Amino acid sequence: MTNSNNSCPLSEICGGCSLRNLPLEEYRNRKTEKVKAILSGINLPEVSYGDSVFIGDKTRRRATMAFRCKKGVVTLGFNAARSDEVLDCPDCQLLTPEICNALPKLRALLSELCKEPYTVKKKGKKPQAVYVTAGDIAVTAAANGLDIVLEIAELPDLGHRMIICEAVAAAEEIIRVSWRRRPDETPEPIIEKAKPVINIAGRQVYIPAGTFLQPSAEGESALIGLVLKYLGETRGKIADLFCGVGTFSYPLAGLDGNKVYAVDSSVPLLNGFRQSVNKNMISNIEITAKNLFKYPLDEMELKGFEVVVFDPPRAGAEAQVKQLAALPENNRPQKIIAVSCNPRSFVRDANILLSGGYKLAEVTIVDQFVYSDHSELVALFTK
């Protein structure tokens, strides 16, 4: 089978699509075999696999692009593979049409921002004009429009704010633009025409600026489907650990007989989660802020859960799975459903659970990160 999407002129050099040059069938086989090779590190003679799920092009709903301005010309795109060189990207096969169609407007906005000077006063010297020359721009395609976060080292002056407001007022598809100086800073909204929302399990879910989302709605739907498949008919008290915006909490809470205890460390993210839960009048989701890397749920906190779902960052959930593995037999959940974006850390976590007496029932690979070396998976452990 040939790859019908091998039309990107940057595919050989861009760091985002390193495997796009392969025929589609070969790419999918290679991706699957690579993950299975990593999972061979699980301490079992054989691992049972579900049918792999593959996501297509033009589905990526969030992307962080870099920009550089040199001699008045803005370069906007992704980094070259293993390089800090920014490749100019007028289009991208991965991104949703909504994001691709907005790229010219975003490029024009950045160009205007780079023309607007800052006035920097130095002691004993004349004020000097300083300009924006580089930064990042994160774009998220929400259900009701585009949410933009500018990451630029300097704080915006009044002139920059006016440029943003004028550009967004003229761009119907852009509903919010925020600004922050570094990745660990909470973005400051510059203009918000509407609160960005996504749809999860039939609910409108508010997303704070800069929040983490699954890369695509299609991938998110696949992960939710697998979590519900592995849940089966089991009902009761469910822990949703590293819950994020509530990707799994909403569908789990939508099933009669369930009460969801959602935990994450990000207070701004959880505040947005609470807003959405209250707006949707959902009474069976309880939300708690806790750093599960440093302070995992212990034996007393885990008591009474029928199911534990966890979806950690790439580092995995080592501290938490050690607590789960150490639980006495009569206090263990019936099921543990693990979602992982890093097969290598999953192997470590899986072996901890296996050593504690759990059984690995099945693993399903989900190819969310199209034409890259990264993969996601969902796994079911039973008591």
Side-chain angles (χ1 to χ4, degrees):
M1 176 185 284
T2 58
N3 182 359
S4 60
N5 294 312
N6 190 20
S7 57
C8 178
L10 302 177
S11 61
E12 298 293 326
I13 53 176
C14 179
C17 283
S18 58
L19 302 177
R20 184 172 285 277
N21 60 313
L22 296 176
L24 186 59
E25 185 175 352
E26 181 183 346
Y27 158 72
R28 291 180 172 180
N29 289 338
R30 182 183 294 193
K31 193 82 171 270
T32 301
E33 291 308 312
K34 180 178 179 179
V35 176
K36 288 183 177 181
I38 295 171
L39 298 190
S40 67
I42 296 173
N43 297 329
L44 287 173
E46 188 176 356
V47 175
S48 177
Y49 289 96
D51 293 335
S52 297
V53 179
F54 294 96
I55 309 302
D57 267 332
K58 301 188 182 300
T59 59
R60 187 83 184 234
R61 66 180 176 186
R62 63 175 179 86
T64 299
M65 307 177 82
F67 73 89
R68 303 287 185 269
C69 184
K70 188 174 182 180
K71 296 181 179 180
V73 178
V74 170
T75 300
L76 172 64
F78 299 105
N79 289 95
R82 297 175 294 280
S83 170
D84 60 359
E85 178 192 358
V86 178
L87 302 172
D88 201 51
C89 183
D91 193 9
C92 178
Q93 294 295 316
L94 292 178
L95 302 180
T96 65
E98 293 82 1
I99 295 178
C100 285
N101 292 339
L103 289 178
K105 291 183 180 180
L106 297 178
R107 192 184 302 270
L109 169 60
L110 293 171
S111 180
E112 290 302 310
L113 289 175
C114 291
K115 293 176 186 176
E116 181 69 15
Y118 292 91
T119 301
V120 179
K121 295 181 180 180
K122 294 186 178 181
K123 192 174 181 179
K125 296 183 179 181
K126 291 183 179 180
Q128 293 183 338
V130 177
Y131 296 86
V132 173
T133 58
D136 289 339
I137 179 168
V139 189
T140 300
N144 55 337
L146 297 181
D147 185 24
I148 311 297
V149 176
L150 297 167
E151 190 173 302
I152 299 171
E154 299 85 1
L155 285 171
D157 277 351
L158 177 60
H160 301 98
R161 294 173 185 270
M162 291 178 63
I163 288 170
I164 292 170
C165 290
E166 289 174 4
V168 173
E172 183 179 349
E173 67 272 36
I174 300 175
I175 57 175
R176 181 172 67 188
V177 174
S178 306
W179 187 301
R180 65 182 175 191
R181 291 176 296 174
R182 55 184 184 271
D184 61 345
E185 191 173 84
T186 300
E188 175 202 351
I190 303 297
I191 179 172
E192 183 179 84
K193 297 190 295 189
K195 290 190 176 298
V197 297
I198 59 172
N199 298 312
I200 302 178
R203 309 282 190 174
Q204 278 202 341
V205 176
Y206 166 69
I207 52 172
T211 196
F212 171 81
L213 293 177
Q214 297 296 339
S216 67
E218 291 81 358
E220 180 178 82
S221 179
L223 295 176
I224 291 172
L226 287 165
V227 168
L228 295 181
K229 170 191 170 184
Y230 289 152
L231 178 72
E233 298 302 315
T234 307
R235 299 290 184 271
K237 192 177 177 184
I238 300 175
D240 181 10
L241 309 183
F242 308 95
C243 64
V245 296
T247 300
F248 304 117
S249 291
Y250 288 103
L252 290 169
L255 299 173
D256 290 339
N258 285 342
K259 181 169 183 176
V260 178
Y261 181 64
V263 184
D264 205 287
S265 62
S266 171
V267 173
L269 184 150
L270 293 182
N271 287 339
F273 190 0
R274 287 191 184 93
Q275 286 182 37
S276 295
V277 166
N278 292 337
K279 183 178 180 180
N280 286 285
M281 295 183 289
I282 301 172
S283 61
N284 60 335
I285 297 179
E286 179 183 349
I287 300 169
T288 297
K290 191 170 189 181
N291 185 332
L292 295 170
F293 293 109
K294 292 183 177 180
Y295 310 107
L297 301 188
D298 59 24
E299 180 179 343
M300 290 302 297
E301 293 170 303
L302 288 167
K303 191 172 183 179
F305 285 105
E306 294 296 325
V307 179
V308 171
V309 178
F310 63 83
D311 182 15
R314 292 187 60 78
E318 183 176 10
Q320 188 59 72
V321 296
K322 284 181 177 178
Q323 291 289 335
L324 288 164
L327 290 175
E329 181 68 26
N330 62 352
N331 196 23
R332 292 182 175 181
Q334 296 295 323
K335 294 177 178 178
I336 297 173
I337 303 172
V339 183
S340 173
C341 61
N342 184 353
R344 295 186 188 281
S345 62
F346 171 77
V347 169
R348 179 202 62 213
D349 294 346
N351 284 334
I352 293 171
L353 292 173
L354 292 171
S355 67
Y358 293 92
K359 296 179 180 179
L360 178 56
E362 188 175 84
V363 178
T364 300
I365 299 167
V366 179
D367 183 26
Q368 276 219 86
F369 306 98
V370 186
Y371 296 112
S372 78
D373 283 323
H374 300 293
S375 292
E376 194 140 0
L377 58 85
V378 184
L380 171 63
F381 295 86
T382 57
K383 188 174 177 178

